[in-house]
Amino acid sequence: MSGKQQNAGKTAFTFLRNNTVPLMFILICAVCIPISGFSPSYLLNEIITRLGRNAFLILSLLIPIMAGMGLNFGMTLGAMAGELALIFVSDWQIWGIPGVVLAMIVSIPFSVLLGWVCGKILNMAKGREMITSYIISFFINGIYQLIVLYLMGSVIPIAHSSIKLPRGYGIRNTVSLLNMRQCIDNLLAVRIAGVKIPVLTLLIIALMCILIVWFRRTKLGQDMRAVGQDIQVARDAGINVERTRIISIIISTVLAGFGMILYLQNIGNLSTYSAHSQVGMFCIAALLVGGASVDHASIGNVFLGVILFHTMFIVAPQAGAVITGDSMIGEYFRVFVSYGVITLALIMYEMKKRRQKANIGEQLALAQKEEEQHE
């Protein structure tokens, strides 16, 4: 075999190894789409809707990855901040785009506080940020449940009985956002061949992408990248590592709050006690499906992940119903895949780290051997 063929083989193997998850999902979608029998216009309409609904949330994950803090399961804290803001705005009866904008403004202090708490705790758990942020989200969820179930209406004034439980305090299981449903999606929306394109929503997402690209070039963005590459080197360079890491989590939490508000205005109702419960898991799974890893993620990974992951979400139940006669098989399959993707990505990341350590060890041993020979 010639050298060129060997190099081509190595390049192909490296590509397959680095893109195992996206390629696997492309294969799943390629099999399920024809079986499901959905028309191209329906499928495209659903994908664009989900892109507008989820992309902003997933973009909020990029900043902590850049700062070397891995996949921020604590983005759920931002989602809860967004929900609290929407409850207050619903009580004040401010609807439409003004309501969405006000909810985003109201969510900022909640998000900053929760992000600061999360960042302080993660600084005490360096190297274990992902599992720590995952547990923090459960802890803050308990506080959130206490606030909305007991304090709102009894300690925190809630005027409108339509969102309160019949006992006079606590928030109902579902808060209607019908008066702000798709207010951003419908503004400037166009229809092409039966496919609705939410232009304003996509413009907001595009602006967010531009801001992330710009942020990476700022002094703070460069500091975060330095911290993400090597904490000790960054500290020696005079960067306040702990402060930089906290700021990255705060930014991620604030953006997650905005993303949750956009997500819920698209759906049109708020499941008070459960809307945030799976947001972090599905957003992280979608990002990993797009080819991201624990230590590297790009804007391209976000969009590829949303398209592949949610295409699978759309077609899997119908494909399961056609193949087995039971659509629940497809439901089980997509939940199984969501957790399976995260597990696979973490295993691959750990294997990559071990390979890198082994290569460094081999290089050091070789260098030491050469020194001994020279002596």
PDB file of all heavy atoms in Angstrom, residues 107-121:
ATOM      1  N   SER A 107     -35.985  38.550  33.952  1.00  0.00           N
ATOM      2  CA  SER A 107     -35.229  37.314  34.203  1.00  0.00           C
ATOM      3  C   SER A 107     -33.749  37.577  34.512  1.00  0.00           C
ATOM      4  O   SER A 107     -33.096  36.740  35.135  1.00  0.00           O
ATOM      5  CB  SER A 107     -35.332  36.385  32.987  1.00  0.00           C
ATOM      6  OG  SER A 107     -34.533  36.851  31.912  1.00  0.00           O
ATOM      7  N   ILE A 108     -33.219  38.732  34.075  1.00  0.00           N
ATOM      8  CA  ILE A 108     -31.773  38.979  34.203  1.00  0.00           C
ATOM      9  C   ILE A 108     -31.289  38.927  35.656  1.00  0.00           C
ATOM     10  O   ILE A 108     -30.324  38.204  35.950  1.00  0.00           O
ATOM     11  CB  ILE A 108     -31.387  40.318  33.518  1.00  0.00           C
ATOM     12  CG1 ILE A 108     -31.538  40.187  32.003  1.00  0.00           C
ATOM     13  CG2 ILE A 108     -29.938  40.696  33.862  1.00  0.00           C
ATOM     14  CD1 ILE A 108     -31.357  41.501  31.242  1.00  0.00           C
ATOM     15  N   PRO A 109     -31.927  39.659  36.620  1.00  0.00           N
ATOM     16  CA  PRO A 109     -31.415  39.565  37.994  1.00  0.00           C
ATOM     17  C   PRO A 109     -31.477  38.157  38.574  1.00  0.00           C
ATOM     18  O   PRO A 109     -30.556  37.728  39.279  1.00  0.00           O
ATOM     19  CB  PRO A 109     -32.309  40.534  38.783  1.00  0.00           C
ATOM     20  CG  PRO A 109     -33.430  40.906  37.895  1.00  0.00           C
ATOM     21  CD  PRO A 109     -32.998  40.667  36.502  1.00  0.00           C
ATOM     22  N   PHE A 110     -32.559  37.402  38.271  1.00  0.00           N
ATOM     23  CA  PHE A 110     -32.647  36.012  38.743  1.00  0.00           C
ATOM     24  C   PHE A 110     -31.508  35.182  38.151  1.00  0.00           C
ATOM     25  O   PHE A 110     -30.842  34.407  38.860  1.00  0.00           O
ATOM     26  CB  PHE A 110     -33.990  35.385  38.342  1.00  0.00           C
ATOM     27  CG  PHE A 110     -35.200  36.054  38.940  1.00  0.00           C
ATOM     28  CD1 PHE A 110     -36.283  36.399  38.151  1.00  0.00           C
ATOM     29  CD2 PHE A 110     -35.258  36.340  40.293  1.00  0.00           C
ATOM     30  CE1 PHE A 110     -37.399  37.013  38.685  1.00  0.00           C
ATOM     31  CE2 PHE A 110     -36.372  36.956  40.855  1.00  0.00           C
ATOM     32  CZ  PHE A 110     -37.447  37.304  40.042  1.00  0.00           C
ATOM     33  N   SER A 111     -31.282  35.343  36.836  1.00  0.00           N
ATOM     34  CA  SER A 111     -30.247  34.565  36.149  1.00  0.00           C
ATOM     35  C   SER A 111     -28.854  34.907  36.665  1.00  0.00           C
ATOM     36  O   SER A 111     -28.019  34.014  36.867  1.00  0.00           O
ATOM     37  CB  SER A 111     -30.310  34.815  34.639  1.00  0.00           C
ATOM     38  OG  SER A 111     -31.514  34.352  34.090  1.00  0.00           O
ATOM     39  N   VAL A 112     -28.597  36.199  36.873  1.00  0.00           N
ATOM     40  CA  VAL A 112     -27.274  36.620  37.359  1.00  0.00           C
ATOM     41  C   VAL A 112     -27.010  36.040  38.745  1.00  0.00           C
ATOM     42  O   VAL A 112     -25.920  35.514  39.017  1.00  0.00           O
ATOM     43  CB  VAL A 112     -27.174  38.162  37.379  1.00  0.00           C
ATOM     44  CG1 VAL A 112     -25.918  38.615  38.113  1.00  0.00           C
ATOM     45  CG2 VAL A 112     -27.164  38.717  35.954  1.00  0.00           C
ATOM     46  N   LEU A 113     -28.012  36.118  39.627  1.00  0.00           N
ATOM     47  CA  LEU A 113     -27.853  35.574  40.983  1.00  0.00           C
ATOM     48  C   LEU A 113     -27.593  34.071  40.946  1.00  0.00           C
ATOM     49  O   LEU A 113     -26.648  33.565  41.572  1.00  0.00           O
ATOM     50  CB  LEU A 113     -29.103  35.875  41.814  1.00  0.00           C
ATOM     51  CG  LEU A 113     -29.136  35.270  43.228  1.00  0.00           C
ATOM     52  CD1 LEU A 113     -27.994  35.819  44.076  1.00  0.00           C
ATOM     53  CD2 LEU A 113     -30.480  35.518  43.904  1.00  0.00           C
ATOM     54  N   LEU A 114     -28.421  33.343  40.185  1.00  0.00           N
ATOM     55  CA  LEU A 114     -28.269  31.887  40.103  1.00  0.00           C
ATOM     56  C   LEU A 114     -26.952  31.506  39.422  1.00  0.00           C
ATOM     57  O   LEU A 114     -26.282  30.557  39.840  1.00  0.00           O
ATOM     58  CB  LEU A 114     -29.454  31.280  39.343  1.00  0.00           C
ATOM     59  CG  LEU A 114     -30.816  31.360  40.048  1.00  0.00           C
ATOM     60  CD1 LEU A 114     -31.924  30.910  39.115  1.00  0.00           C
ATOM     61  CD2 LEU A 114     -30.814  30.509  41.310  1.00  0.00           C
ATOM     62  N   GLY A 115     -26.570  32.253  38.374  1.00  0.00           N
ATOM     63  CA  GLY A 115     -25.304  31.979  37.692  1.00  0.00           C
ATOM     64  C   GLY A 115     -24.116  32.228  38.598  1.00  0.00           C
ATOM     65  O   GLY A 115     -23.141  31.460  38.578  1.00  0.00           O
ATOM     66  N   TRP A 116     -24.188  33.277  39.418  1.00  0.00           N
ATOM     67  CA  TRP A 116     -23.096  33.581  40.357  1.00  0.00           C
ATOM     68  C   TRP A 116     -22.955  32.464  41.388  1.00  0.00           C
ATOM     69  O   TRP A 116     -21.843  32.011  41.662  1.00  0.00           O
ATOM     70  CB  TRP A 116     -23.380  34.920  41.049  1.00  0.00           C
ATOM     71  CG  TRP A 116     -22.318  35.303  42.048  1.00  0.00           C
ATOM     72  CD1 TRP A 116     -21.091  35.852  41.785  1.00  0.00           C
ATOM     73  CD2 TRP A 116     -22.393  35.138  43.468  1.00  0.00           C
ATOM     74  NE1 TRP A 116     -20.401  36.044  42.964  1.00  0.00           N
ATOM     75  CE2 TRP A 116     -21.178  35.624  44.012  1.00  0.00           C
ATOM     76  CE3 TRP A 116     -23.362  34.637  44.335  1.00  0.00           C
ATOM     77  CZ2 TRP A 116     -20.910  35.611  45.378  1.00  0.00           C
ATOM     78  CZ3 TRP A 116     -23.102  34.624  45.693  1.00  0.00           C
ATOM     79  CH2 TRP A 116     -21.892  35.107  46.206  1.00  0.00           C
ATOM     80  N   VAL A 117     -24.082  32.016  41.950  1.00  0.00           N
ATOM     81  CA  VAL A 117     -24.053  30.911  42.927  1.00  0.00           C
ATOM     82  C   VAL A 117     -23.463  29.661  42.287  1.00  0.00           C
ATOM     83  O   VAL A 117     -22.587  28.995  42.862  1.00  0.00           O
ATOM     84  CB  VAL A 117     -25.473  30.632  43.473  1.00  0.00           C
ATOM     85  CG1 VAL A 117     -25.494  29.333  44.284  1.00  0.00           C
ATOM     86  CG2 VAL A 117     -25.969  31.795  44.318  1.00  0.00           C
ATOM     87  N   CYS A 118     -23.934  29.342  41.082  1.00  0.00           N
ATOM     88  CA  CYS A 118     -23.457  28.153  40.364  1.00  0.00           C
ATOM     89  C   CYS A 118     -21.961  28.268  40.079  1.00  0.00           C
ATOM     90  O   CYS A 118     -21.200  27.318  40.301  1.00  0.00           O
ATOM     91  CB  CYS A 118     -24.246  27.992  39.062  1.00  0.00           C
ATOM     92  SG  CYS A 118     -23.865  26.493  38.140  1.00  0.00           S
ATOM     93  N   GLY A 119     -21.522  29.438  39.603  1.00  0.00           N
ATOM     94  CA  GLY A 119     -20.113  29.645  39.289  1.00  0.00           C
ATOM     95  C   GLY A 119     -19.220  29.513  40.516  1.00  0.00           C
ATOM     96  O   GLY A 119     -18.134  28.904  40.446  1.00  0.00           O
ATOM     97  N   LYS A 120     -19.656  30.063  41.656  1.00  0.00           N
ATOM     98  CA  LYS A 120     -18.877  29.952  42.900  1.00  0.00           C
ATOM     99  C   LYS A 120     -18.713  28.491  43.316  1.00  0.00           C
ATOM    100  O   LYS A 120     -17.624  28.069  43.724  1.00  0.00           O
ATOM    101  CB  LYS A 120     -19.571  30.734  44.021  1.00  0.00           C
ATOM    102  CG  LYS A 120     -19.571  32.234  43.855  1.00  0.00           C
ATOM    103  CD  LYS A 120     -18.210  32.853  44.067  1.00  0.00           C
ATOM    104  CE  LYS A 120     -17.876  33.026  45.528  1.00  0.00           C
ATOM    105  NZ  LYS A 120     -16.618  33.776  45.720  1.00  0.00           N
ATOM    106  N   ILE A 121     -19.793  27.728  43.192  1.00  0.00           N
ATOM    107  CA  ILE A 121     -19.730  26.308  43.566  1.00  0.00           C
ATOM    108  C   ILE A 121     -18.839  25.540  42.596  1.00  0.00           C
ATOM    109  O   ILE A 121     -18.022  24.702  43.015  1.00  0.00           O
ATOM    110  CB  ILE A 121     -21.144  25.693  43.620  1.00  0.00           C
ATOM    111  CG1 ILE A 121     -21.964  26.356  44.739  1.00  0.00           C
ATOM    112  CG2 ILE A 121     -21.080  24.186  43.844  1.00  0.00           C
ATOM    113  CD1 ILE A 121     -23.429  25.995  44.741  1.00  0.00           C
TER     114      ILE A 121
END
